[in-house]
Amino acid sequence: MERLLTPSFIARCAVLAMALEVSGTPKPGNIDRDHDYSDTKYEDFIAAAIGVYPVLERASRNDGIGQLILDACEESTSWQPGGNTHFGAYILLFPLIKAATSDFHDLQNMAINIARETTVDDAVQFYRAFGKVQVKMKGSEELDVADEKSLEEIRQRGLTLFGIMEMSSKNDMVAREWTNGFSRSFKAAELIAERRLTGTLNDAVVLTYLDLLADEPDTFISKKYDMAKAIYVQGLAIDVQERRMTLNELSNRLYREKINPGSTADIIIAGIFIALLRGMRV
């Protein structure tokens, strides 16, 4: 791909990745064009994706990743009433955006380096961000985001944002991307781009989502319920792959049981983003 990767172009790829992920249908358990939650709608995801564009474009500058995540949460929630829509996606997108700005041809290694170079201030701003959207990352619960003393403890311990991801990686697949070199994000990008060559982009996104769901238990589910529930969903995804259940049947079951594999969706966003940077088009 020879196109100049300007900050505007990179940010547009990120916005489009978020819009394409939520538009993939049927995407079992997660919001799509045909399914809403009672408190969060398809339109909320679209509004948040578009509304956060200025923060995504600013990521190419020297702003720290923690501050960018905080600003993205504040910007996206100001555009829609559905609350947290893309928190996990921001964790993945901002190192990748900065990497694309620095060296597109060595995107993965550059993203790894950028993640490892995060600071204590990044960690503090990150904790403020997920306090605002009321999410948790297993492995870091001893630090209460509502307590200013926890932020001071982060400073005293010299805990960087990468350090937080290391603490959380055992039980959080988004955090694990930072410690595993964004391996599943790049795997998703390859699968989506390959499928797009012979089919629709919607099918490429949905089938890759199913692959990831069958490959590893979704940690958003395990945090909301328990690991047994996440393994149960993984087994259902395998049933679809082996044609013991249809994709629509899985979709209906997960919506009926109110189970959403949100972390898998975040990794799909990162995968679409990488594929778009590499030249894939709708």
Side-chain angles (χ1 to χ4, degrees):
M1 179 178 178
E2 298 302 326
R3 178 169 185 167
L4 178 64
L5 299 189
T6 64
S8 173
F9 174 77
I10 295 169
R12 279 178 281 163
C13 287
V15 168
L16 184 55
M18 288 186 280
L20 290 172
E21 183 279 321
V22 75
S23 298
T25 305
K27 204 166 62 281
N30 283 304
I31 286 176
D32 58 29
R33 284 170 290 175
D34 295 335
H35 300 90
D36 290 325
Y37 300 147
S38 60
D39 55 350
T40 311
K41 313 295 184 188
Y42 171 75
E43 290 83 0
D44 295 332
F45 276 76
I46 294 295
I50 295 171
V52 81
Y53 172 85
V55 184
L56 299 169
E57 186 178 29
R58 206 180 76 225
S60 61
R61 305 173 195 167
N62 292 326
D63 302 63
I65 288 177
Q67 186 65 52
L68 289 165
I69 293 172
L70 175 59
D71 292 349
C73 289
E74 292 176 339
E75 187 69 38
S76 65
T77 54
S78 73
W79 283 92
Q80 44 80 31
N84 170 39
T85 54
H86 294 103
F87 185 77
Y90 298 148
I91 295 172
L92 299 175
L93 284 174
F94 283 120
L96 291 167
I97 290 171
K98 284 185 171 294
T101 304
S102 301
D103 187 353
F104 166 72
H105 296 290
D106 195 20
L107 184 65
Q108 188 166 9
N109 285 328
M110 185 59 66
I112 292 169
N113 292 337
I114 287 168
R116 289 184 175 276
E117 290 169 2
T118 53
T119 66
V120 172
D121 188 59
D122 287 320
V124 169
Q125 300 307 328
F126 173 77
Y127 260 81
R128 288 190 169 124
F130 79 75
K132 285 184 178 294
V133 295
Q134 298 181 333
V135 298
K136 284 196 171 188
M137 296 181 71
K138 279 195 172 182
S140 57
E141 292 90 337
E142 71 272 15
L143 296 169
D144 181 1
V145 299
D147 186 354
E148 186 66 29
K149 292 180 181 178
S150 290
L151 302 183
E152 185 57 35
E153 183 179 348
I154 290 172
R155 296 185 183 98
Q156 291 177 354
R157 290 166 57 178
L159 187 61
T160 67
L161 183 48
F162 184 80
I164 287 176
M165 296 303 163
E166 283 188 311
M167 288 169 52
S168 304
S169 61
K170 181 179 179 180
N171 300 303
D172 190 294
M173 66 202 314
V174 171
R176 199 177 303 140
E177 284 295 277
W178 278 45
T179 60
N180 285 353
F182 301 89
S183 59
R184 298 191 86 218
S185 298
F186 278 86
K187 175 184 177 181
E190 292 168 3
L191 290 172
I192 291 167
E194 181 180 344
R195 285 180 165 132
R196 180 65 185 93
L197 294 175
T198 57
T200 68
L201 183 54
N202 181 78
D203 287 352
V205 169
V206 169
L207 291 174
T208 300
Y209 170 81
L210 182 66
D211 282 351
L212 296 190
L213 203 56
D215 185 56
E216 187 174 320
D218 185 280
T219 52
F220 187 86
I221 299 173
S222 66
K223 284 184 285 185
K224 185 176 180 180
Y225 297 99
D226 52 34
M227 182 53 72
K229 184 75 74 173
I231 292 172
Y232 159 73
V233 173
Q234 180 187 21
L236 294 178
I238 293 171
D239 284 344
V240 174
Q241 289 183 324
E242 297 180 355
R243 302 191 178 186
R244 291 188 292 270
M245 175 185 291
T246 69
L247 188 59
N248 281 323
E249 286 172 340
L250 174 59
S251 182
N252 291 335
R253 179 179 292 196
L254 295 192
Y255 281 110
R256 186 170 60 249
E257 297 180 13
K258 295 181 170 55
I259 303 172
N260 61 306
S263 294
T264 300
D266 292 329
I267 292 172
I268 288 292
I269 289 174
I272 297 171
F273 173 68
I274 294 164
L276 289 170
L277 285 180
R278 290 173 167 174
M280 185 188 75
R281 292 294 174 265
V282 176

